[in-house]
Amino acid sequence: MTAELICVGTTYVMGMLEEPVQSYLAGRLTELGVEIHQRRIITEERNTMTKIINEAFQDVELVVVTGERLWTQEEVKNTIDGFDDMDTDCGRREEDNILVPSPSGGTQGFILKNKEDQVIVVLPGVAKEVEMMFEYDVVGYLLRELAEGKVSVFMKAFMKGDTDTGLVKRELNLALEPALNSVNPSVYLNVHDDYADVRVDCVGPTKTDAILLAQMMIGDMKSRTKDLVEWKIEKTEEEG
């Protein structure tokens, strides 16, 4: 994967303030195996931002935008080539549109991935906050994107007996809370009236490693919910 880093802020362009995070992000991305194509500091004028980011995506797969006044997801979809059909594409996956919460409760960042596998990461905030957002959410996302071995297991969990459906839903969410908070494997849960759809996504250096991680997670989930549901594996998709 190749990347470009773009810092937005007129005060940085004019030299009134030193750009605070590009060196840090470039170093961390290099450690993850991402090749840095270019680093730029630009003004926050909207036409300039649109031009520079569209130019960047002609050469790289990943653009990381930091700085002062940044776009919302809707603005990115409306102005950046390749991201304008995300709302109408029924094939979008949950992990193609991720909110990155602010540790201080400030403006959220986000990650968007389009059909061409291009990714834009937008991280607003001061330097320390941007670094934390990057480490907490972006690193895990990139590790999944860069992994050679990938596996997704699709399952159904059927409610046992005539137990109150609402109670089972609450108990199931509580029992699976550690799994739902996991980064790798990642677990996605969609609860219906008498069953739940569950997907487990794992990545690893090889496909074998990813499969092993998935099996360990599934075993743990079955153990935690053995009195609540019966599990059935629908299909497994593997890469690598």
Side-chain angles (χ1 to χ4, degrees):
M1 180 180 284
T2 57
E4 183 164 322
L5 304 180
I6 298 174
C7 176
V8 178
T10 303
T11 54
Y12 303 129
V13 173
M14 295 174 63
M16 297 169 64
L17 292 174
E18 290 292 325
E19 190 287 317
V21 293
Q22 282 196 353
S23 293
Y24 173 83
L25 295 177
R28 289 293 285 121
L29 287 168
T30 300
E31 290 174 358
L32 295 171
V34 177
E35 179 184 346
I36 306 301
H37 179 266
Q38 190 169 198
R39 293 160 56 180
R40 299 199 227 189
I41 303 174
I42 65 174
T43 69
E44 57 207 54
E45 199 273 321
R46 286 311 198 228
N47 289 337
T48 299
M49 292 173 64
T50 301
K51 177 177 179 292
I52 295 299
I53 295 175
N54 277 318
E55 285 179 356
F57 275 123
Q58 294 178 19
D59 300 316
V60 301
E61 294 85 34
L62 169 66
V63 173
V64 181
V65 186
T66 59
E68 297 175 349
R69 294 173 55 194
L70 302 181
W71 279 318
T72 64
Q73 294 179 69
E74 288 305 314
E75 288 174 314
V76 168
K77 294 173 186 177
N78 290 335
T79 57
I80 303 304
D81 298 339
F83 289 84
D84 55 351
D85 61 351
M86 293 191 65
D87 289 332
T88 59
D89 180 5
C90 296
R92 306 302 322 151
R93 301 174 304 163
E94 185 176 354
E95 58 268 38
D96 293 336
N97 189 338
I98 299 173
L99 289 177
V100 180
S102 163
S104 68
T107 303
Q108 295 185 110
F110 57 88
I111 302 170
L112 292 177
K113 180 180 179 182
N114 65 20
K115 290 190 297 183
E116 303 301 322
D117 290 332
Q118 294 174 318
V119 178
I120 185 167
V121 178
V122 176
L123 300 175
V126 297
K128 193 63 179 177
E129 190 167 55
V130 168
E131 292 178 13
M132 293 171 68
M133 295 165 80
F134 182 82
E135 294 296 338
Y136 290 168
D137 290 279
V138 181
V139 169
Y141 174 86
L142 291 176
L143 286 173
R144 292 193 295 272
E145 287 294 306
L146 295 166
E148 295 294 328
K150 300 181 182 181
V151 61
S152 294
V153 182
F154 298 84
M155 298 178 290
K156 276 187 167 53
F158 296 95
M159 311 299 184
K160 286 186 175 181
D162 298 324
T163 308
D164 177 72
T165 301
L167 178 61
V168 173
K169 287 182 180 181
R170 291 191 293 273
E171 291 180 344
L172 185 60
N173 276 281
L174 182 62
L176 293 178
E177 184 176 5
L180 296 172
N181 290 330
S182 172
V183 174
N184 185 35
S186 297
V187 178
Y188 305 92
L189 175 68
N190 186 15
V191 181
H192 306 280
D193 286 341
D194 55 356
Y195 73 96
D197 287 311
V198 183
R199 188 176 90 238
V200 179
D201 291 343
C202 298
V203 299
T206 67
K207 182 173 67 176
T208 300
D209 295 314
I211 291 172
L212 180 60
L213 278 174
Q215 291 173 339
M216 292 172 63
M217 175 59 80
I218 292 169
D220 181 66
M221 291 194 300
K222 287 182 176 180
S223 176
R224 291 175 180 274
T225 60
K226 59 184 179 181
D227 296 326
L228 296 174
V229 296
E230 295 180 356
W231 291 88
K232 178 183 178 182
I233 294 179
E234 299 284 297
K235 65 176 181 177
T236 300
E237 297 178 354
E238 303 172 6
E239 296 180 27

